[in-house]
Amino acid sequence: MTLMALFNAPKEFGAGAALRSVTDWAHYNHGYTARILNQPQQDTLAYRRSSPLYFAEGLEDPLLMAHGMVDVNVHFQDIVRLTERFIQLGKTGWELAVYPVEDHGFVRPSSWTDEYRRIFELFETQLTPRRSAAPGGGSP
């Protein structure tokens, strides 16, 4: 949801953190996805309209992506494909945090701490209103 929001509403959110994201529904669990979108071969338009990979050109706000490399639910290749798309498009302002030993549901406290520290820092730097000088030139 974060990816689609940032890609389809540039400059609306200010920043986003996408955790273990599906970037192309055609590569996700076919049994689960087919109940919603049919099979990829039957309804390519539905898959294209709902997959963030095809909207990546809309990225303007800072984006943090976090993904475990041994994720058996949303495979790591999904985020790699989106990363390559950003590179092809010349996009900047995005970051990929890779967790080499984590699955879809992180279990190591150090991974959770790192992930949420990154999210906190992103939001603190990008979403915190800038203080302006008080009238008369003094600090607020």
Side-chain angles (χ1 to χ4, degrees):
M1 211 187 267
T2 297
L3 296 175
M4 289 298 270
L6 290 181
F7 297 172
N8 288 294
K11 302 291 186 191
E12 187 70 29
F13 295 95
L19 313 179
R20 307 173 256 317
S21 303
V22 173
T23 64
D24 186 349
W25 290 102
H27 292 186
Y28 189 60
N29 178 319
H30 291 298
Y32 170 81
T33 310
R35 290 193 301 264
I36 301 164
L37 298 174
N38 299 314
Q39 291 293 333
Q41 307 84 344
Q42 295 171 318
D43 200 346
T44 56
L45 186 58
Y47 279 82
R48 189 168 189 85
R49 285 182 176 165
S50 61
S51 296
L53 184 68
Y54 301 104
F55 298 89
E57 68 278 352
L59 179 67
E60 293 184 28
D61 293 326
L63 170 63
L64 167 66
M65 301 174 293
H67 210 110
M69 287 185 77
V70 293
D71 191 329
V72 296
N73 183 3
V74 180
H75 297 151
F76 187 68
Q77 71 185 18
D78 250 37
I79 208 66
V80 171
R81 290 180 69 223
L82 181 58
T83 299
E84 178 59 24
R85 183 78 177 121
F86 287 153
I87 293 167
Q88 291 170 354
L89 293 168
K91 291 293 179 180
T92 60
W94 57 272
E95 175 186 356
L96 174 59
V98 175
Y99 298 88
V101 297
E102 292 291 3
D103 193 352
H104 192 69
F106 287 13
V107 296
R108 294 177 181 226
S110 59
S111 298
W112 282 107
T113 301
D114 182 77
E115 179 180 60
Y116 282 95
R117 175 194 51 79
R118 289 172 187 269
I119 295 168
F120 178 77
E121 289 174 359
L122 173 69
F123 291 169
E124 278 291 301
T125 59
Q126 299 299 323
L127 303 179
T128 302
R130 306 280 185 242
R131 291 184 177 225
S132 58
S139 296

